[in-house]
Amino acid sequence: MDVLIDAVGGPDGHRFLPVMRRGGSIAPVFPGEYHRERAAELGISMGGWQVRSSGERLAVPAA
């Protein structure tokens, strides 16, 4: 895979490493165990976001 957005996270996040291509990127949404050192050895970058909701921001799309 080139890009993977993991919306689950958890202790088994590293399970995706074998399906990623060199130069690919994993973007975890929630914390997990991604074996970042091993990912770097495989040429896989790790990005990510943190999910936060805001009533004010959620009201904008509803309008």
Side-chain angles (χ1 to χ4, degrees):
M1 301 183 85
D2 294 321
V3 176
L4 179 113
I5 299 172
D6 180 11
V8 177
D12 297 318
H14 58 89
R15 68 190 177 280
F16 297 116
L17 294 179
V19 300
M20 299 301 298
R21 75 164 178 83
R22 181 168 288 281
S25 181
I26 297 176
V29 176
F30 297 104
E33 180 54 58
Y34 293 97
H35 296 180
R36 291 175 186 266
E37 297 83 16
R38 179 67 180 136
E41 290 172 3
L42 296 170
I44 299 167
S45 64
M46 301 294 295
W49 308 280
Q50 190 160 25
V51 178
R52 294 188 181 125
S53 62
S54 157
E56 181 180 330
R57 288 183 179 172
L58 292 172
V60 173

